Amino acid sequence: MPVLGNIGILYQCKQGGRQAEVQPVEKAALVWERDTIVWVGEEEKLPADYADLEFIDAGGGMVIPGLVDCHTHLAFGGWREDEYELRALGRPYIEIAKSGGGILSSMRATREATEDELYDLALERINGMRKLGITTVECKSGYGLSFKDEVKQLNVYRRLDRNQPLDVVSTFLGAHTIPPEYKDNRAGYISVLIKECIPFIADEQLATFCDIFVEETAFTIDEAWTILSTAQDYGLMLKLHADQLSDGGGASLAADIGAVSADHLEYCSDEGIAKMRDAGVTAVSIPLASYYLRQPSLPARKMIEAGLPVAVSTDFNPGSAPSYHLPFAMHLACVLQTMSPAEVLKGATAYAARALKLDHLTGSLESGKKADIAVMDAKSVNFWLYHFRPNACAMSFKDGIRIV
Ligand SMILES: [Zn+2]
């Protein structure tokens, strides 16, 4: 039962209140027993019962909940740095995709890789994330696009969850795009998803969520309804990649079908914002994709003013967001999405946990929550996200165990 003390400032990041409310406590201390926080407050008010416990010195740093990356495509084969060069020189993505690049290039490399090869790649990446202060990661399939290869990706996530300290939340994204062998038979692929993949994945408990790419170039609203309602019938919770390239009604669908989150939302309508808020859907922003693709961000200010929680994630993937650096994404969320550092902090902790339906366990520092904690070398959240450095994480704990 340790005490973390000599904390310059601690941000509790409780769920309630406005997005900017992160409950700062100066000169704080925090106590946990096994994996659960039992006390948080000003160090001078630390109860006498805790005075003789093992003392861990936070060095005057900033303490925040362990970061939650609620949207990644962690396990994939191959990188696409050649496309990065083409895009830097102005070649549109659609042309790159038509000449065999894009998602389908990652699909080929992921199909070619063995499960062990994908596991080794994903493990190296998640170890990198751990060092940044991240303690929970959502991971999507979606580069296999066949029964066998989707299951292979999800098996990688199951092994990762068991074999390293971070919590891994798995999402089945078989409906990422239509694979080439079903180019002229969309219904055939959807049948594979709803008759083969979803029942097996649910039965084997290989995923917590089912996700889908709703876009003119991917799946229609009607197709999404069919796939998501099947997943729901099998007990999977729902997420959507929605309204990234146009207002395709994805936000409304997320609200109508009872999704936990809708992600991207660059072109989300005012009606979509209101419906999501009323239905309790979390909006997940992807600042790295806006940055790498030089595209507009989601209307974060409108969302926050409407009372819709905005989470911040990396969308780590080999195409539009080839970085797993969540603090960098958080820095970009301030600059590109015009969010305050405090709003962004709540977006990558409390609200990211909400986007994974884990808010009862993690994402905030309060009694009864898991001891998922990051210590940053910074005097405040403003300073941390303003003076951006490669890595400010000095120390972190997952389930009360030190992992950095
Ligand atoms: Zn994504």
Side-chain angles (χ1 to χ4, degrees):
M1 202 169 166
V3 179
L4 180 65
N6 188 22
I7 296 169
I9 191 160
L10 175 148
Y11 296 94
Q12 287 197 271
C13 302
K14 294 181 192 173
Q15 284 295 328
R18 290 175 298 111
Q19 178 132 8
E21 286 173 28
V22 289
Q23 299 89 28
V25 183
E26 286 180 21
K27 297 190 169 46
L30 189 145
V31 185
W32 64 93
E33 185 171 12
R34 291 193 195 90
D35 62 352
T36 306
I37 296 170
V38 294
W39 191 87
V40 185
E42 289 172 42
E43 188 164 356
E44 63 176 29
K45 293 183 183 158
L46 187 72
D49 306 357
Y50 300 141
D52 297 329
L53 299 177
E54 176 201 355
F55 186 86
I56 303 170
D57 188 337
M62 174 182 87
V63 170
I64 58 174
L67 296 170
V68 177
D69 196 343
C70 63
H71 182 141
T72 85
H73 304 251
L74 189 74
F76 54 84
W79 290 94
R80 285 155 43 194
E81 67 273 27
D82 295 348
E83 292 177 21
Y84 174 70
E85 184 195 18
L86 292 175
R87 281 208 315 261
L89 296 171
R91 183 86 65 89
Y93 176 77
I94 195 82
E95 260 183 48
I96 294 170
K98 277 187 183 151
S99 57
I103 291 179
L104 295 183
S105 131
S106 294
M107 179 205 75
R108 285 191 298 274
T110 303
R111 285 181 178 179
E112 277 164 23
T114 65
E115 185 185 307
D116 285 346
E117 285 165 349
L118 285 179
Y119 176 81
D120 289 345
L121 289 168
L123 181 64
E124 191 185 329
R125 293 165 191 160
I126 209 166
N127 280 332
M129 299 171 112
R130 175 176 51 80
K131 290 173 190 157
L132 297 169
I134 294 162
T135 52
T136 302
V137 184
E138 186 261 10
C139 300
K140 301 178 196 295
S141 67
Y143 288 124
L145 303 178
S146 70
F147 176 85
K148 171 168 88 51
D149 294 295
E150 286 292 306
V151 167
K152 178 172 74 180
Q153 269 189 291
L154 294 172
N155 274 328
V156 167
Y157 298 144
R158 170 172 285 179
R159 287 168 61 186
L160 271 188
D161 189 44
R162 288 176 180 166
N163 297 339
Q164 56 74 53
L166 275 61
D167 274 333
V168 172
V169 178
S170 295
T171 297
F172 171 56
L173 179 60
H176 200 181
T177 191
I178 300 275
E181 54 274 29
Y182 286 93
K183 188 162 61 77
D184 301 315
N185 180 15
R186 300 177 68 85
Y189 185 60
I190 291 168
S191 166
V192 170
L193 295 177
I194 63 179
K195 297 209 171 106
E196 297 176 37
C197 295
I198 290 172
F200 180 83
I201 287 161
D203 201 40
E204 296 286 314
Q205 297 181 318
L206 274 170
T208 306
F209 287 93
C210 179
D211 194 346
I212 186 165
F213 215 111
V214 182
E215 202 64 60
E216 246 174 71
T217 53
F219 292 88
T220 67
I221 293 280
D222 285 347
E223 289 166 345
W225 192 274
T226 303
I227 294 164
L228 293 176
S229 56
T230 303
Q232 207 164 33
D233 289 344
Y234 278 94
L236 296 174
M237 293 190 282
L238 308 180
K239 289 180 164 289
L240 285 86
H241 282 65
D243 301 341
Q244 182 185 3
L245 307 170
S246 59
D247 174 19
S252 287
L253 171 64
D256 290 339
I257 204 164
V260 174
S261 77
D263 305 32
H264 276 291
L265 302 169
E266 284 82 348
Y267 289 90
C268 185
S269 66
D270 292 355
E271 188 202 351
I273 292 173
K275 284 185 71 174
M276 286 174 61
R277 176 202 55 210
D278 294 344
V281 181
T282 301
V284 176
S285 67
I286 317 281
L288 277 164
S290 306
Y291 166 75
Y292 273 103
L293 301 177
R294 272 177 257 129
Q295 283 177 349
S297 298
L298 86 177
R301 284 261 59 84
K302 264 191 190 176
M303 292 173 164
I304 291 168
E305 273 146 33
L308 173 63
V310 179
V312 177
S313 69
T314 61
D315 190 15
F316 175 51
N317 75 75
S320 59
S323 169
Y324 54 68
H325 203 302
L326 184 56
F328 180 52
M330 295 170 73
H331 160 74
L332 291 178
C334 297
V335 176
L336 302 177
Q337 296 175 186
T338 58
M339 290 169 67
S340 74
E343 288 169 339
V344 168
L345 175 63
K346 195 150 167 177
T349 54
Y351 289 165
R354 188 182 194 261
L356 298 178
K357 271 266 193 244
L358 289 177
D359 42 307
H360 58 298
L361 292 174
T362 193
S364 61
L365 298 176
E366 53 192 316
S367 187
K369 295 286 176 79
K370 291 220 270 179
D372 296 350
I373 304 156
V375 182
M376 300 293 174
D377 172 22
K379 60 187 175 183
S380 67
V381 67
N382 283 353
F383 187 82
W384 177 41
L385 294 181
Y386 144 80
H387 176 43
F388 180 76
R389 286 155 294 163
N391 189 7
C393 180
M395 204 186 293
S396 79
F397 302 85
K398 174 68 192 172
D399 296 323
I401 293 168
R402 187 159 173 178
I403 57 167
V404 171

CSV table of all heavy atoms in Angstrom, one decimal, residues 71-73 140 173 176 211 213 241 264 286 315 317, ligand 1:
chain,number,residue,atom,x,y,z
A,71,HIS,N,-8.7,4.8,-29.6
A,71,HIS,CA,-8.9,4.5,-31.0
A,71,HIS,C,-7.5,4.2,-31.7
A,71,HIS,O,-6.8,5.2,-31.9
A,71,HIS,CB,-9.6,5.6,-31.7
A,71,HIS,CG,-9.9,5.4,-33.1
A,71,HIS,ND1,-11.1,5.9,-33.7
A,71,HIS,CD2,-9.3,4.9,-34.2
A,71,HIS,CE1,-11.2,5.6,-35.0
A,71,HIS,NE2,-10.0,5.0,-35.3
A,72,THR,N,-7.2,2.9,-31.9
A,72,THR,CA,-5.9,2.6,-32.6
A,72,THR,C,-6.2,1.4,-33.5
A,72,THR,O,-7.1,0.6,-33.3
A,72,THR,CB,-4.7,2.3,-31.7
A,72,THR,OG1,-4.7,0.9,-31.4
A,72,THR,CG2,-4.6,3.1,-30.5
A,73,HIS,N,-5.3,1.3,-34.5
A,73,HIS,CA,-5.3,0.1,-35.4
A,73,HIS,C,-3.9,-0.5,-35.2
A,73,HIS,O,-3.1,-0.5,-36.1
A,73,HIS,CB,-5.5,0.6,-36.9
A,73,HIS,CG,-6.8,1.3,-37.1
A,73,HIS,ND1,-7.9,0.8,-37.8
A,73,HIS,CD2,-7.1,2.6,-36.8
A,73,HIS,CE1,-8.8,1.7,-37.9
A,73,HIS,NE2,-8.4,2.8,-37.3
A,140,LYS,N,-8.0,-2.1,-33.0
A,140,LYS,CA,-9.0,-2.6,-34.0
A,140,LYS,C,-8.4,-3.6,-34.9
A,140,LYS,O,-7.2,-3.5,-35.3
A,140,LYS,CB,-9.5,-1.4,-34.8
A,140,LYS,CG,-10.2,-0.3,-34.0
A,140,LYS,CD,-10.7,0.8,-34.8
A,140,LYS,CE,-11.0,2.1,-34.0
A,140,LYS,NZ,-12.1,1.9,-33.1
A,173,LEU,N,-13.3,-4.7,-36.6
A,173,LEU,CA,-13.5,-3.8,-37.7
A,173,LEU,C,-13.4,-4.5,-39.0
A,173,LEU,O,-12.8,-4.0,-40.0
A,173,LEU,CB,-12.6,-2.6,-37.6
A,173,LEU,CG,-12.7,-1.4,-38.6
A,173,LEU,CD1,-14.0,-0.8,-38.6
A,173,LEU,CD2,-11.6,-0.4,-38.4
A,176,HIS,N,-14.2,-2.5,-42.5
A,176,HIS,CA,-13.3,-1.3,-42.7
A,176,HIS,C,-13.4,-0.9,-44.1
A,176,HIS,O,-13.5,0.3,-44.4
A,176,HIS,CB,-11.9,-1.8,-42.4
A,176,HIS,CG,-10.9,-0.7,-42.1
A,176,HIS,ND1,-9.5,-1.0,-41.8
A,176,HIS,CD2,-11.0,0.6,-42.0
A,176,HIS,CE1,-8.9,0.2,-41.6
A,176,HIS,NE2,-9.8,1.2,-41.7
A,211,ASP,N,-17.0,-2.2,-34.9
A,211,ASP,CA,-16.8,-0.9,-35.4
A,211,ASP,C,-17.1,-1.0,-36.9
A,211,ASP,O,-17.0,-2.1,-37.5
A,211,ASP,CB,-15.4,-0.4,-35.2
A,211,ASP,CG,-15.2,1.1,-35.4
A,211,ASP,OD1,-16.0,1.7,-36.0
A,211,ASP,OD2,-14.1,1.6,-35.0
A,213,PHE,N,-16.8,1.4,-40.9
A,213,PHE,CA,-16.5,2.7,-41.6
A,213,PHE,C,-17.7,3.1,-42.4
A,213,PHE,O,-18.0,2.4,-43.4
A,213,PHE,CB,-15.3,2.4,-42.5
A,213,PHE,CG,-14.4,3.6,-42.6
A,213,PHE,CD1,-13.1,3.5,-42.1
A,213,PHE,CD2,-14.8,4.7,-43.3
A,213,PHE,CE1,-12.2,4.6,-42.2
A,213,PHE,CE2,-13.9,5.8,-43.4
A,213,PHE,CZ,-12.6,5.7,-42.9
A,241,HIS,N,-16.8,4.7,-37.4
A,241,HIS,CA,-16.0,5.7,-38.0
A,241,HIS,C,-17.0,6.5,-38.9
A,241,HIS,O,-17.6,5.9,-39.8
A,241,HIS,CB,-14.9,5.1,-39.0
A,241,HIS,CG,-13.7,4.5,-38.3
A,241,HIS,ND1,-13.7,3.4,-37.5
A,241,HIS,CD2,-12.4,4.9,-38.5
A,241,HIS,CE1,-12.5,3.2,-37.1
A,241,HIS,NE2,-11.7,4.0,-37.7
A,264,HIS,N,-14.0,10.3,-35.5
A,264,HIS,CA,-13.7,11.2,-36.7
A,264,HIS,C,-14.6,12.4,-36.6
A,264,HIS,O,-14.2,13.4,-36.1
A,264,HIS,CB,-13.8,10.5,-38.0
A,264,HIS,CG,-12.6,9.7,-38.4
A,264,HIS,ND1,-11.4,10.3,-38.7
A,264,HIS,CD2,-12.3,8.4,-38.4
A,264,HIS,CE1,-10.5,9.4,-38.9
A,264,HIS,NE2,-11.0,8.2,-38.8
A,286,ILE,N,-9.7,12.8,-33.8
A,286,ILE,CA,-8.5,12.2,-34.3
A,286,ILE,C,-7.6,13.3,-34.9
A,286,ILE,O,-7.5,13.5,-36.1
A,286,ILE,CB,-8.9,11.3,-35.5
A,286,ILE,CG1,-10.1,10.4,-35.3
A,286,ILE,CG2,-7.7,10.5,-36.0
A,286,ILE,CD1,-9.9,9.2,-34.4
A,315,ASP,N,-5.8,7.3,-33.3
A,315,ASP,CA,-6.1,6.6,-34.6
A,315,ASP,C,-4.9,6.0,-35.2
A,315,ASP,O,-4.8,5.8,-36.4
A,315,ASP,CB,-6.8,7.5,-35.6
A,315,ASP,CG,-7.4,6.8,-36.8
A,315,ASP,OD1,-7.6,5.6,-36.7
A,315,ASP,OD2,-7.7,7.5,-37.8
A,317,ASN,N,-2.4,4.3,-37.2
A,317,ASN,CA,-2.5,3.4,-38.3
A,317,ASN,C,-1.5,3.7,-39.3
A,317,ASN,O,-0.9,4.8,-39.3
A,317,ASN,CB,-4.0,3.5,-38.9
A,317,ASN,CG,-4.1,4.8,-39.7
A,317,ASN,OD1,-3.7,4.9,-40.8
A,317,ASN,ND2,-4.8,5.8,-39.1
B,1,ZN,ZN,-9.6,4.6,-37.3
